[in-house]
Amino acid sequence: MDKPWRMYFLCVHNRCRSQMAKAFARHFAGNKVIANSAGVEESQIHPLTIEVMKEVGIDISDQQSKRIDMKVFISSQIVIKLCEQVNEKCPIVPFGITNVQWDIPDPTPKQGGGTIEEFRVTRDLIRENVLQLLKEHKVV
């Protein structure tokens, strides 16, 4: 692979799942990928997202929630949607860009906060999915 593989992880709020996925892609593939993440709606990264990623040696405390950037979207080689809700609200992925759908439950409930164990389960599922995706596309 000559040029880095451009990945865009999308979720509704960009506060948990898409942030984790981006971090794992960068962690496992290094400079072989350009991984970005965004949400349909901007929010703030949930504190437990940062905490559970630190548990596996990845510091995302400097990351910020972002809204979808159409320039990044159309320049991506693959768009990974981490929840069904984003699939309903997200722009249609243009021909030539691989579109992947993962329906990973949101550990951040609408009222109050989720448990750290729920965040760990989500983190571990995302790590497995990212590794599998990178292997399937021969990035790692």
Side-chain angles (χ1 to χ4, degrees):
M1 182 175 290
D2 297 336
K3 291 193 268 183
W5 194 40
R6 294 183 172 273
M7 312 172 75
Y8 208 18
F9 294 97
L10 302 178
C11 228
V12 174
H13 297 105
N14 192 227
R15 65 182 176 190
C16 180
R17 295 167 288 181
S18 50
Q19 291 284 345
M20 290 178 178
K22 172 181 70 175
F24 278 126
R26 289 177 175 180
H27 178 76
F28 292 125
N31 62 3
K32 294 179 183 176
V33 299
I34 296 173
N36 289 290
S37 70
V40 178
E41 302 166 16
E42 199 170 329
S43 183
Q44 290 185 343
I45 298 180
H46 195 286
L48 289 178
T49 302
I50 295 167
E51 188 172 333
V52 299
M53 292 304 286
K54 279 185 182 175
E55 291 177 353
V56 294
I58 301 174
D59 182 5
I60 63 168
S61 61
D62 63 338
Q63 297 297 308
Q64 295 181 341
S65 174
K66 296 175 211 66
R67 290 188 60 157
I68 294 174
D69 179 323
M70 289 310 291
K71 187 175 178 183
V72 175
F73 186 86
I74 62 171
S75 69
S76 298
Q77 293 164 285
I78 184 167
V79 170
I80 304 98
K81 299 173 187 172
L82 283 97
C83 60
E84 192 173 313
Q85 296 89 342
V86 80
N87 198 36
E88 297 165 3
K89 299 177 181 185
C90 182
I92 294 173
V93 176
F95 181 76
I97 298 174
T98 303
N99 184 20
V100 175
Q101 179 72 41
W102 297 341
D103 293 324
I104 297 177
D106 188 356
T108 62
K110 290 181 174 131
Q111 299 297 322
T115 67
I116 192 154
E117 189 53 41
E118 290 170 313
F119 277 79
R120 288 176 179 140
V121 168
T122 298
R123 175 200 63 204
D124 295 345
L125 181 57
I126 291 170
R127 176 177 37 210
E128 290 172 24
N129 284 9
V130 168
L131 268 173
Q132 183 64 34
L133 181 72
L134 293 172
K135 288 176 183 175
E136 284 174 7
H137 290 272
K138 297 177 178 39
V139 179
V140 294

